[in-house]
Structure formats: C-alpha cells, structure tokens
C-alpha cells in the first residue's frame, strides 16, 4: 500500500557500460519509477549485447512487478554477476516492461543523454 509503480515510454539515450565496455545502447527505454528506488531503465533486448549476458539461476519476487530472472555480464575486463534482470511474465500493472531488461544503476555505469549518472546508494548497492 505504500509503494507505487509508474512506467513511462521515453526517447532518452541510455548507454550501459560494464568494465568500460558498452553493453547496451538504446533510445527506446521504458523508465520505471518505484517508490524509494532510483529510476530503472528497461531496454529492449535488441538494444543490448545479449552475447555478453549469461542467464543465472537467481530469481526474485516483487508483488508489484512479478518474478524476475537474472543475467550476469562478462566483458573482456570484468564480470558483473546478477546485474541484469527481466520479467518474463510481469503482473498486469507492470506489463509494459515484459521482455525488456534492466541493469542495476548501483553496479554498472549508465549514461543518460551522454551524461554519466552517479551510482545511487540503495539496499542493492
């Protein structure tokens, strides 16, 4: 009752880097706003270097979004475990992010319209 989810289509330019290597580049994000958390950028998989992602066994459940599955990212210089998630079958209220992936802002470098965002401090840091 104290959490709200809003999902907005955007044309912001989102770039995601792991170990200095670009792993995602999109101008078609959906931005998910959730009470108490930083904005999360959900990107179409076609805008993500899926060849660098490896599915893991981790799943988590959210009453507002559903059950998430995770990926780790491996680049030439780094491996970032369980930093990418997606909702294969989100709950009805979050259907707009179905099949899209999101990266932990706390654990990867994200540029929005060419500007590097600072890493937020959250329970996921």
């Amino acid at each position: 009752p104290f959490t709200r989810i809003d999902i907005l289509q955007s044309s912001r330019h989102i770039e995601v880097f792991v170990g200095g290597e670009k792993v995602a580049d999109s101008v078609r994000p959906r931005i998910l706003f959730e009470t108490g958390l930083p904005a999360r950028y959900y990107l179409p998989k076609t805008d993500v270097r899926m060849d660098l992602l490896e599915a893991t066994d981790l799943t988590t459940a959210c009453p507002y979004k559903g059950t998430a599955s995770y990926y780790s990212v491996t680049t030439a210089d780094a491996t970032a475990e369980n930093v990418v998630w997606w909702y294969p079958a989100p709950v009805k209220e979050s259907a707009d992010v179905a099949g899209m992936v999101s990266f932990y802002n706390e654990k990867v470098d994200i540029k929005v319209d060419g500007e590097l965002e600072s890493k937020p401090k959250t329970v996921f840091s």
Side-chain angles (χ1 to χ4, degrees), residues 77-99:
D77 295 328
T79 295
E81 296 190 13
N82 295 313
V83 295
V84 184
W85 71 90
W86 70 297
Y87 292 94
V91 298
K92 181 181 174 184
E93 294 77 16
S94 295
D96 285 345
V97 297

Side-chain angles (χ1 to χ4, degrees), residues 61-115:
C62 171
Y64 306 103
K65 296 183 291 289
T67 300
S69 296
Y70 287 77
Y71 293 103
S72 292
V73 179
T74 301
T75 66
D77 295 328
T79 295
E81 296 190 13
N82 295 313
V83 295
V84 184
W85 71 90
W86 70 297
Y87 292 94
V91 298
K92 181 181 174 184
E93 294 77 16
S94 295
D96 285 345
V97 297
M100 302 180 90
V101 298
S102 188
F103 294 77
Y104 274 113
N105 311 45
E106 300 88 338
K107 299 178 180 183
V108 300
D109 291 320
I110 297 179
K111 286 186 179 180
V112 178
D113 295 331
E115 296 291 324

